[in-house]
Amino acid sequence: MSGRDPGMGRSLTRTMLVAILAVALVGVGATWWQVVDASRLTTSPDDAANVAAARTVVRGVIRDRDGRVLAASKRDANGEPYRVYPTDAMTAVIGYASRRYGSAGIERAFDAELTGRRDPDPIQDILDHLDPSRTKKGNDLRTSLSLPLQKLAVQLLGNDAGAVVLLDPRTGEVLVDASTPTYDPNQIADPTADPAYFAALRKDPTSPLLPRATLGLYTPGSVFKIVTAVAALASGAITPKTTFPKQPRSEKSGLLVDGYRVKDGHHDFTQPKALALSEATEVSCNIFYALAGLATGGADLVRWAAAMGFGGSIPYDLPTEVSQVTSGKGSAPGGFVDRVELANAAYGQGEVLATPLQMALVAAAVANDGVIMRPRVVTAVVSPSGAVTPRPAEVWVRAFGPDVAKPIREAMTLAVEGRYGELFTSGAKVPGVLTAGKSGTAEIGGNGEPNSWFIGFAPADDPQIAIAVVVEHGGSGATRASPIAGQLMRAYFAQAAQ
Amino acid sequence: MTAAAAVAPRGIVRIRPRLRRREAMLLLIVCAVLGVGGLSLGMTTTDTVTVAGWQLLVIYGGALVAVHLAQSLAGRRTDQVLLPTVGLLGGIGLLLMIRLPQDLVAQDLGSLHLGLAQLQTVWLCLGLAVVGVLAVAVRSDAWLRMYKYTWALAGLTLLVLTFVFGIDEGGARLTLVVGPFSGQPSELLKVILVIFLAGYLAEYRPLLATERTVIGPIRLPPLPYLVPMLAMVALGMGVVIVQRDLGAALLFYIVFLVLLYIATGRTAWVGLGIALGAVASVALYLAFPHVRERVSVWLDPFADPLGAGFQIVQALHAFARGGLFGVGLGAGLPEIAGNLPIPAVHTDFPLAAIGEEMGLAAVLGILALYLVVLERGLRIAAAAADPFRALLAAGLALVVGAQALVIAAGDLRLMPLTGITLPFVSYGGSSILANSLVVGLLLAISDRGIEAPAPPRTRGPVMRALRRGRG
Amino acid sequence: MDPFVLALWAVRLALLALVWLFLFAVARVLMRDVRRAAAEPGAELGRLVVVASPDREPPVGAAFPVDAVTTIGRDLASTVVIADAFASTEHAVITYRGRAWFIEDRGSTNGTYVNGSLVDGVVPLAVGDEIQVGRVRLRLERGRR
C-alpha cells in the first residue's frame, strides 16, 4: 500500500478506451437493426405490428390478368376479416393468409401492400407513418396470372406431382406458376376450419405446401442441354457446324470418359453420321453434348449457366431455390469433381439441379435473343382510392447475344418440328404455330420412373410465350411433359386468337 | 458504522452547505425529461394533453432533488455528474414502466395494490435513499477493506442459501424469498465481489507484480497468493453457473479480468484470462444443454421464430420498427391478442422497447449514459487516494458498465442473450438496490473531503475555539 | 395534418433532444473537469506514512493522504483507521488551516504524541514530524504533486 503508482493511470485510460470501443460496437449493432436492416424486418409479415394490424385490416383483392378474383376477404362472426379463395389451382403462387398459420406465396411476399402497411405512393407512406391513427385499407394486386391456363395446367398434371411455369419472354410476366399436388387454401384461412387439415398438410409426404415451380429442385436431364449449347457456343468451344468424329463411333459402345461410359444408343437411325448442333439437339444426343461440354470446360459451363441465373437467387416476386450445375465440391475448373461429372452435367445429369422457373428462364433467354426479363407475377398495385402503381417490365440480365440464341432457336425448332424431333417431343407442337422446345428424361437414381421434362417457346420465329413443365416420375419427356406443354400453348394461342 | 461519526468530528468543523451547481443544472434537465416524457406518453395514450403517471414522476423527481439537497446540506464534495446520470437512466426506465401494462408485476401490501410502475417507483426511491445515505454518511473505506473476507463469506452464504432454499423461475434458481420479500442475491454478490477483489488486489499488488512461478513461457506471481482470489472468483462463478445465471458469471469474469489488469497493468494476463474464458465457454457449451440452446438461438433466432427464438426475434423487430426517432412513447409494442410481443420486456428487453418507442437516438443516448457512469468511475479511480479506493471505484463502475453492455449486446444479437438486467432501467428491486449501492459507494469514494477551515489568526483563540466546540 | 398530431411529434422529438442536451451538458462538465485536473496536478495536501505498526493494520509503509480534516482512530469511519488496541475510537484530528498543520487529541485514553511529547489540546505540526497514536507511529510528509 505505497500509494497509487503511475502505472494504474495508464491501465485506467486503456480500460476507458476499450469501454468506448465496446459501446461503439453495440451502437453499431443498434444502428444495424434500427436503420440498415430495419426495412427487411418491419415489412415482414411476422412483425408483431403487422400481425396486429392484419387482424383488423381488410386485405386487398388479388386478381388475374383479366380481372378474375384470385383472393378476396370476408368477415367472420366477430366482424374480423378472413381470406377466401375461389380456386385451389393457384396455391403454389397465391399461397394463403391465415390468422393462425401465418402466410405464404404472394399473400406473404406482398403482405405489406395487401394490408396497406406500405402505400405505393411514397409521400402518402411517410404521412401514414407519422400518423398511425389514419385508417388503413389494403391495396389490390393486379397479376399477370391467367386463371384458365393455370387451372388447365393443374388439371393436366392431374394426380402427378409436378410444376408448370409459363411466361412471356418479352416482358417477364408469368401467366402460369403451377405446382401439384395443390391444397385447399380456404381450409387454412377460414378461422372456423378444422386445424387438423393444416397439420395433415405439413406432414403429407407429397409436400403439397411446397411451391415446386420456384422451390422444387429437379435433375433437369436433357433440357439442360440448352444451357450447355449456350455455354459451348458463347465460349467459342463449338460453332453451329462443329461435329465430333468420335461421336458416331461411340454410339453403340458408349463414350469412354476417364474410364466411365456415357451411354446413348436411342437414335440408331443416325448412326454413321457425325451430328452437328441442330441434329444432335433434335435427337437429344448425349454423346454430342458430353463432348461439347468437355470442349467447353467446367469453368465456362458454370460461368454461362450463372449468366442465366444458376448459382444465385432469381429476383422473382416469390422466394426461389438456387439452381446448380455442380455441387462445387470438386477441385476441377468450375468446381466439378472430375471430367466424368462434367460430361454427365453437360447433358443434365451428374449434380445438376434446377427449378422449373430457372429452366423456363433458360427457354425465355433463348426465345428473347439472350435477354432475360425480370420474372414477375404482380404487375400493378392498386390503392383503395384507385390509384394504380404499375410494376413495369425490366431487363434482369443480358445473358448472351443473338448470334448464340439464333442457332439454338433453330435447333429447338427442329426438336419439335423435325422428322426425328417429333418422336422425342410428341404432343408439344401447336398446330399452325412454329413451335420450339426440348424434352428431357431425367434419371433420378433408384428404381423410380424418371422425371419428365419439357422446355420450349412459341412461335419459334416470334416468341410470345416460354414454358417449362416437369412431371415427377412421369417417364420420358414425350410421355407426359411434352403433351402438357403442347396443350397449354395451344390453349394460350386459342385464347389469344379470340 | 455510525452515520453521525462519519461526517466530521464534532465541533472541529461546522458543516457548511455547499452549492452543487452542476448537479442542480443536470437534474433540471432530468426533471424536464421526466415531464416531457410523461407528456409524450399521456398525449399518445389518451389523445389529450395530459402527463401520464405524473404522481409517480413527481415522487421520483422529488427523491432525486432530495438526494441532491442532502449532499448539498452535508457539504460533501462528491461527484456531481453521477447522480443526474443514473437519475436520467432511472427516469427513462420509470417512463417505460408507466407505459407498460401495469399487471406485468403486481404486489399486495396489506390493502395496498401496487402495479409495475408504482413498485418501480418504490424501488427507485429506496435506491435513491441508499445512494443518499452512502454519499452523505460514508467517510472511510476501512470497513470495506478490512473485512473483505467477511463480506466474501456473507455473499457466498447468501448464494448458497439461494441455491438451497431459492425458488425456480424460468429454469433458473435465482430468487430468494424471505417473508413477503424476494430478491436475487447475485445482484448483491457482484458488489461484494468487487469489494473483495479490490481489497485483495490492493493488498497483494506488490507481490503480484513479482514473477516467481515460472511454468514454461508463462510467468506467474507466487501461486499461494493467487489462491484465495481465484478461489473466490471460481466459487462465485461456479455457483451462478450452476444456477444457470450465465450473465452474472460473465459479468463476474469481465470485472475480475479488468480489475486484474488495472491492478497489475499486464495485458498478457488479460490475454491468458480471455483464452481460459474461451476454453471454459466451450466446456460450458458442451456440458449444459441450455447453454447450447442459447448459442443456437443466438446464431439463428429465425430458425425457430415462434419457439426458442421468439423473444429475440420480436426484440429485433421492435428495434427495427423504431428506426431513427422511434414511433413515440406509448405508440409501439403492438399487443397481439392482449399479449406483449416481448414477454420479458420490463426485465431483459427494456432496451428493445426504448429502441422501438424512442428510436436509435435514445438507444445511443442510453449507451452514452452508461459510458458516462464508467468514465466517472474510472476518473474517481484515477483521483483516488490509495489503490484500494482506486480499484474499488473502477470495479464498481465496471459492474454497471459491463452489465449494461452485456445485456445491450444480447438484446441486439451481438452475443448470446443472458438474462441480466439493464442497470437502473430494468424493473426489479434487487437490481436497482444493488446498483444504487454501487453509485452510493462511488459517490462516497469521490468525496474530496471537507473544505479547509478558515486559518486561525493566532494560536490561542484556536485552542479555545476547539475546546469550546468539544464541550 | 391535425395540430394535435404535430404537437405530439414535437413533444416526442423534444424528449430525444432533452436526452442529448443532458449528454452535451455532461460532456461540458467532463471537459472542464479534465482541464482543471490538468491545471492543478496532484491536489494532495500532505500524507501520513506508517513508520511502525506492531499489529500491521495499517501495515508499515502504507500512506494516507491528509485532507483539510483528517480523523485518526479505531473507528472504522475514521480517515486513518488505526487497528491498535492502545488507540481510542476517536483518537486525534489533524487539520490544515491556512498554510499550517495542526493536531488535536480527541480525549484519547493513552494520549497522542508528536515527536515524543504528549499533545495537550491543539499543537502545530510540521512536515517530518512523527505522530504516535497507540503503538502506531506515523510521519507527516509533503503531498505528492
Side-chain angles (χ1 to χ4, degrees), chain B residues 126-144:
Chain B
L126 285 177
L128 284 174
V130 169
V131 171
V133 167
L134 286 177
V136 170
V138 173
R139 184 87 181 96
S140 157
D141 53 39
W143 58 288
L144 291 174

PDB file of all heavy atoms in Angstrom, chain B residues 126-144:
ATOM      1  N   LEU B 126     -36.234   3.831  -2.856  1.00  0.00           N
ATOM      2  CA  LEU B 126     -35.385   3.125  -1.895  1.00  0.00           C
ATOM      3  C   LEU B 126     -33.933   3.183  -2.357  1.00  0.00           C
ATOM      4  O   LEU B 126     -33.015   3.409  -1.562  1.00  0.00           O
ATOM      5  CB  LEU B 126     -35.839   1.674  -1.745  1.00  0.00           C
ATOM      6  CG  LEU B 126     -37.108   1.455  -0.923  1.00  0.00           C
ATOM      7  CD1 LEU B 126     -37.493  -0.021  -0.915  1.00  0.00           C
ATOM      8  CD2 LEU B 126     -36.893   1.948   0.511  1.00  0.00           C
ATOM      9  N   GLY B 127     -33.734   2.975  -3.656  1.00  0.00           N
ATOM     10  CA  GLY B 127     -32.385   3.015  -4.207  1.00  0.00           C
ATOM     11  C   GLY B 127     -31.750   4.380  -3.994  1.00  0.00           C
ATOM     12  O   GLY B 127     -30.592   4.484  -3.568  1.00  0.00           O
ATOM     13  N   LEU B 128     -32.533   5.437  -4.245  1.00  0.00           N
ATOM     14  CA  LEU B 128     -32.001   6.788  -4.059  1.00  0.00           C
ATOM     15  C   LEU B 128     -31.690   7.039  -2.584  1.00  0.00           C
ATOM     16  O   LEU B 128     -30.721   7.736  -2.258  1.00  0.00           O
ATOM     17  CB  LEU B 128     -33.000   7.819  -4.583  1.00  0.00           C
ATOM     18  CG  LEU B 128     -33.038   7.927  -6.101  1.00  0.00           C
ATOM     19  CD1 LEU B 128     -34.153   8.856  -6.553  1.00  0.00           C
ATOM     20  CD2 LEU B 128     -31.691   8.422  -6.633  1.00  0.00           C
ATOM     21  N   ALA B 129     -32.502   6.455  -1.689  1.00  0.00           N
ATOM     22  CA  ALA B 129     -32.217   6.583  -0.265  1.00  0.00           C
ATOM     23  C   ALA B 129     -30.862   5.958   0.044  1.00  0.00           C
ATOM     24  O   ALA B 129     -30.046   6.529   0.786  1.00  0.00           O
ATOM     25  CB  ALA B 129     -33.323   5.922   0.551  1.00  0.00           C
ATOM     26  N   VAL B 130     -30.616   4.775  -0.533  1.00  0.00           N
ATOM     27  CA  VAL B 130     -29.321   4.115  -0.337  1.00  0.00           C
ATOM     28  C   VAL B 130     -28.198   5.008  -0.844  1.00  0.00           C
ATOM     29  O   VAL B 130     -27.195   5.231  -0.151  1.00  0.00           O
ATOM     30  CB  VAL B 130     -29.295   2.751  -1.076  1.00  0.00           C
ATOM     31  CG1 VAL B 130     -27.893   2.181  -1.104  1.00  0.00           C
ATOM     32  CG2 VAL B 130     -30.248   1.776  -0.406  1.00  0.00           C
ATOM     33  N   VAL B 131     -28.390   5.558  -2.042  1.00  0.00           N
ATOM     34  CA  VAL B 131     -27.377   6.455  -2.607  1.00  0.00           C
ATOM     35  C   VAL B 131     -27.128   7.618  -1.669  1.00  0.00           C
ATOM     36  O   VAL B 131     -25.989   7.961  -1.339  1.00  0.00           O
ATOM     37  CB  VAL B 131     -27.832   6.970  -3.994  1.00  0.00           C
ATOM     38  CG1 VAL B 131     -26.905   8.068  -4.483  1.00  0.00           C
ATOM     39  CG2 VAL B 131     -27.874   5.834  -4.992  1.00  0.00           C
ATOM     40  N   GLY B 132     -28.223   8.229  -1.197  1.00  0.00           N
ATOM     41  CA  GLY B 132     -28.098   9.412  -0.357  1.00  0.00           C
ATOM     42  C   GLY B 132     -27.367   9.111   0.939  1.00  0.00           C
ATOM     43  O   GLY B 132     -26.421   9.812   1.319  1.00  0.00           O
ATOM     44  N   VAL B 133     -27.771   8.038   1.611  1.00  0.00           N
ATOM     45  CA  VAL B 133     -27.154   7.699   2.902  1.00  0.00           C
ATOM     46  C   VAL B 133     -25.669   7.412   2.707  1.00  0.00           C
ATOM     47  O   VAL B 133     -24.815   7.936   3.442  1.00  0.00           O
ATOM     48  CB  VAL B 133     -27.875   6.494   3.540  1.00  0.00           C
ATOM     49  CG1 VAL B 133     -27.052   5.946   4.698  1.00  0.00           C
ATOM     50  CG2 VAL B 133     -29.256   6.909   4.012  1.00  0.00           C
ATOM     51  N   LEU B 134     -25.345   6.615   1.698  1.00  0.00           N
ATOM     52  CA  LEU B 134     -23.935   6.276   1.483  1.00  0.00           C
ATOM     53  C   LEU B 134     -23.124   7.528   1.146  1.00  0.00           C
ATOM     54  O   LEU B 134     -22.028   7.728   1.655  1.00  0.00           O
ATOM     55  CB  LEU B 134     -23.800   5.245   0.362  1.00  0.00           C
ATOM     56  CG  LEU B 134     -24.230   3.822   0.718  1.00  0.00           C
ATOM     57  CD1 LEU B 134     -24.122   2.925  -0.501  1.00  0.00           C
ATOM     58  CD2 LEU B 134     -23.369   3.271   1.842  1.00  0.00           C
ATOM     59  N   ALA B 135     -23.682   8.361   0.272  1.00  0.00           N
ATOM     60  CA  ALA B 135     -22.927   9.531  -0.181  1.00  0.00           C
ATOM     61  C   ALA B 135     -22.706  10.518   0.951  1.00  0.00           C
ATOM     62  O   ALA B 135     -21.663  11.143   1.051  1.00  0.00           O
ATOM     63  CB  ALA B 135     -23.671  10.206  -1.340  1.00  0.00           C
ATOM     64  N   VAL B 136     -23.700  10.651   1.820  1.00  0.00           N
ATOM     65  CA  VAL B 136     -23.591  11.640   2.886  1.00  0.00           C
ATOM     66  C   VAL B 136     -22.814  11.073   4.069  1.00  0.00           C
ATOM     67  O   VAL B 136     -22.021  11.775   4.703  1.00  0.00           O
ATOM     68  CB  VAL B 136     -25.003  12.096   3.319  1.00  0.00           C
ATOM     69  CG1 VAL B 136     -24.935  12.932   4.584  1.00  0.00           C
ATOM     70  CG2 VAL B 136     -25.654  12.882   2.200  1.00  0.00           C
ATOM     71  N   ALA B 137     -23.007   9.788   4.351  1.00  0.00           N
ATOM     72  CA  ALA B 137     -22.525   9.255   5.618  1.00  0.00           C
ATOM     73  C   ALA B 137     -21.150   8.604   5.535  1.00  0.00           C
ATOM     74  O   ALA B 137     -20.362   8.708   6.468  1.00  0.00           O
ATOM     75  CB  ALA B 137     -23.540   8.254   6.161  1.00  0.00           C
ATOM     76  N   VAL B 138     -20.850   7.935   4.440  1.00  0.00           N
ATOM     77  CA  VAL B 138     -19.609   7.150   4.427  1.00  0.00           C
ATOM     78  C   VAL B 138     -18.403   8.080   4.335  1.00  0.00           C
ATOM     79  O   VAL B 138     -18.325   8.942   3.473  1.00  0.00           O
ATOM     80  CB  VAL B 138     -19.602   6.161   3.244  1.00  0.00           C
ATOM     81  CG1 VAL B 138     -18.252   5.481   3.156  1.00  0.00           C
ATOM     82  CG2 VAL B 138     -20.687   5.138   3.454  1.00  0.00           C
ATOM     83  N   ARG B 139     -17.498   7.921   5.274  1.00  0.00           N
ATOM     84  CA  ARG B 139     -16.345   8.803   5.322  1.00  0.00           C
ATOM     85  C   ARG B 139     -15.080   8.002   5.054  1.00  0.00           C
ATOM     86  O   ARG B 139     -14.080   8.502   4.628  1.00  0.00           O
ATOM     87  CB  ARG B 139     -16.298   9.413   6.724  1.00  0.00           C
ATOM     88  CG  ARG B 139     -15.247  10.421   6.941  1.00  0.00           C
ATOM     89  CD  ARG B 139     -15.730  11.804   6.542  1.00  0.00           C
ATOM     90  NE  ARG B 139     -14.657  12.758   6.740  1.00  0.00           N
ATOM     91  CZ  ARG B 139     -13.841  13.142   5.766  1.00  0.00           C
ATOM     92  NH1 ARG B 139     -14.029  12.719   4.557  1.00  0.00           N
ATOM     93  NH2 ARG B 139     -12.868  13.979   6.003  1.00  0.00           N
ATOM     94  N   SER B 140     -15.167   6.725   5.340  1.00  0.00           N
ATOM     95  CA  SER B 140     -13.966   5.903   5.247  1.00  0.00           C
ATOM     96  C   SER B 140     -14.286   4.613   4.499  1.00  0.00           C
ATOM     97  O   SER B 140     -15.438   4.190   4.431  1.00  0.00           O
ATOM     98  CB  SER B 140     -13.474   5.558   6.647  1.00  0.00           C
ATOM     99  OG  SER B 140     -12.697   4.397   6.601  1.00  0.00           O
ATOM    100  N   ASP B 141     -13.267   4.023   3.973  1.00  0.00           N
ATOM    101  CA  ASP B 141     -13.484   2.765   3.269  1.00  0.00           C
ATOM    102  C   ASP B 141     -12.960   1.576   4.053  1.00  0.00           C
ATOM    103  O   ASP B 141     -13.015   0.452   3.617  1.00  0.00           O
ATOM    104  CB  ASP B 141     -12.814   2.808   1.908  1.00  0.00           C
ATOM    105  CG  ASP B 141     -11.362   3.205   2.031  1.00  0.00           C
ATOM    106  OD1 ASP B 141     -10.709   2.757   2.982  1.00  0.00           O
ATOM    107  OD2 ASP B 141     -10.880   3.971   1.195  1.00  0.00           O
ATOM    108  N   ALA B 142     -12.450   1.864   5.258  1.00  0.00           N
ATOM    109  CA  ALA B 142     -11.796   0.788   6.003  1.00  0.00           C
ATOM    110  C   ALA B 142     -12.752  -0.352   6.302  1.00  0.00           C
ATOM    111  O   ALA B 142     -12.361  -1.516   6.286  1.00  0.00           O
ATOM    112  CB  ALA B 142     -11.213   1.342   7.286  1.00  0.00           C
ATOM    113  N   TRP B 143     -14.006  -0.006   6.580  1.00  0.00           N
ATOM    114  CA  TRP B 143     -14.967  -1.051   6.925  1.00  0.00           C
ATOM    115  C   TRP B 143     -15.198  -2.008   5.769  1.00  0.00           C
ATOM    116  O   TRP B 143     -15.643  -3.120   5.953  1.00  0.00           O
ATOM    117  CB  TRP B 143     -16.287  -0.432   7.379  1.00  0.00           C
ATOM    118  CG  TRP B 143     -16.902   0.473   6.341  1.00  0.00           C
ATOM    119  CD1 TRP B 143     -16.465   1.700   5.965  1.00  0.00           C
ATOM    120  CD2 TRP B 143     -18.045   0.198   5.556  1.00  0.00           C
ATOM    121  NE1 TRP B 143     -17.265   2.228   5.001  1.00  0.00           N
ATOM    122  CE2 TRP B 143     -18.257   1.327   4.727  1.00  0.00           C
ATOM    123  CE3 TRP B 143     -18.935  -0.865   5.463  1.00  0.00           C
ATOM    124  CZ2 TRP B 143     -19.295   1.402   3.822  1.00  0.00           C
ATOM    125  CZ3 TRP B 143     -19.978  -0.781   4.567  1.00  0.00           C
ATOM    126  CH2 TRP B 143     -20.147   0.348   3.745  1.00  0.00           C
ATOM    127  N   LEU B 144     -14.893  -1.564   4.554  1.00  0.00           N
ATOM    128  CA  LEU B 144     -14.994  -2.466   3.405  1.00  0.00           C
ATOM    129  C   LEU B 144     -13.704  -3.265   3.254  1.00  0.00           C
ATOM    130  O   LEU B 144     -13.707  -4.463   3.039  1.00  0.00           O
ATOM    131  CB  LEU B 144     -15.238  -1.667   2.128  1.00  0.00           C
ATOM    132  CG  LEU B 144     -16.585  -0.983   2.006  1.00  0.00           C
ATOM    133  CD1 LEU B 144     -16.606  -0.109   0.762  1.00  0.00           C
ATOM    134  CD2 LEU B 144     -17.689  -2.023   1.943  1.00  0.00           C
TER     135      LEU B 144
END
